[in-house]
Amino acid sequence: MEDKELNLVDHLDELRKRLIIAASAFIVFFIAGFVFVKDIYQWLVKDLDVKLIVLGPSDIIWVYFMLVTVIAVAGTIPVLAFQIWLFVKPALTTAERRISLSYVPALFILFIAGLCFGYFVIFPTVLSFLVELGGEMFEANFTADKYFRFVLHMTLPFGILFELPVIIMFLTSLGIINPYVLTKIRKYAYFVLIFISVVISPPDFMSDILVTIPLLLLYEISINLSKIVYKRKLRRDQRFVKA
């Protein structure tokens, strides 16, 4: 009993160590982000037809904090993923270690891909639709705070949700989940994804559709990738049994 308690304490200490390293990385990237935040801000507004306005000095700081937070999150993702891998590494086989380690850079790449998809595809489409919806009735003036909140709502969720295929592949490689379970719970997963898309998108039907379709496609891609990983895992297990 005492051995089990000591083992649990060791695991908790190891987990705390990994979380501290990830949190430290976030702080470092957050501070470093302020070095480039003005350049990033200028790049994001360079094609904007209207000049952003602020309603108070605190709005400027808040906008900078939003941008820097995204930079910090993007930089921390591979660090956090690597720390998680180090934490579960002792419980993995040699093959599982090699395969799961390859998911670490994939998480970062997919997060950036999700941000780019949201910013270059979803965001301009939804923004254009909403501005045209006002037509001649309204003059479009955007505050910096609300504009960048809107940008984050249209990009950050995709950065996070684009991680879904890699997470599913990782869990499949560990035997925690398999494609048959994913297929069985498809209708529930669809409901959750549709709910998420309605929450993160502006309150209009067109925006909901534009956000929902990519999320459903991501789930289907995840199922197919899970099938590939699951078949490879079965072949490895069969070879291991024969050996």
Side-chain angles (χ1 to χ4, degrees), residues 31-44:
I31 295 172
F34 273 100
V35 177
F36 305 100
V37 68
K38 287 186 178 181
D39 295 328
I40 295 172
Y41 176 87
Q42 294 298 332
W43 183 79
L44 290 173

Side-chain angles (χ1 to χ4, degrees), residues 40 43-44 66-67 69-71 73-74 77 110-127 147-163 196-197 200-202 210-211 214-215 218:
I40 295 172
W43 183 79
L44 290 173
M66 282 193 289
L67 296 178
T69 299
V70 174
I71 296 171
V73 169
I77 281 177
L110 283 176
F111 181 78
I112 299 300
L115 290 181
C116 291
F117 177 78
Y119 184 74
F120 292 108
V121 179
I122 301 298
F123 168 68
T125 304
V126 175
L127 180 64
Y147 176 79
F148 281 104
R149 283 180 186 273
F150 182 74
V151 171
L152 287 184
H153 287 162
M154 290 290 99
T155 56
L156 193 57
F158 284 103
I160 297 171
L161 292 169
F162 263 52
E163 309 280 31
I196 291 173
S197 67
I200 67 176
S201 62
L210 289 173
V211 176
L215 297 188
L218 271 177

Side-chain angles (χ1 to χ4, degrees), residues 131-143:
V131 171
E132 290 178 4
L133 195 64
E136 300 295 327
M137 294 185 295
F138 306 101
E139 181 180 353
N141 287 314
F142 304 135
T143 64

Side-chain angles (χ1 to χ4, degrees), residues 8-101:
L8 177 61
V9 171
D10 290 340
H11 277 80
L12 291 175
D13 284 341
E14 180 68 13
L15 178 60
R16 183 172 62 86
K17 174 185 173 183
R18 300 302 169 192
L19 292 176
I20 289 174
I21 293 174
S24 300
F26 178 85
I27 294 171
V28 170
F29 283 115
F30 189 87
I31 295 172
F34 273 100
V35 177
F36 305 100
V37 68
K38 287 186 178 181
D39 295 328
I40 295 172
Y41 176 87
Q42 294 298 332
W43 183 79
L44 290 173
V45 301
K46 63 182 174 63
D47 296 324
L48 205 58
D49 295 331
V50 297
K51 192 171 182 65
L52 298 179
I53 60 175
V54 293
L55 302 179
S58 61
D59 285 1
I60 301 172
I61 298 297
W62 180 244
V63 168
Y64 281 1
F65 264 86
M66 282 193 289
L67 296 178
V68 171
T69 299
V70 174
I71 296 171
V73 169
T76 305
I77 281 177
V79 178
L80 177 61
F82 185 62
Q83 294 305 314
I84 292 173
W85 181 81
L86 289 174
F87 179 72
V88 301
K89 178 183 174 182
L92 303 178
T93 64
T94 302
E96 288 173 339
R97 291 175 184 177
R98 186 179 64 255
I99 294 170
S100 57
L101 184 59

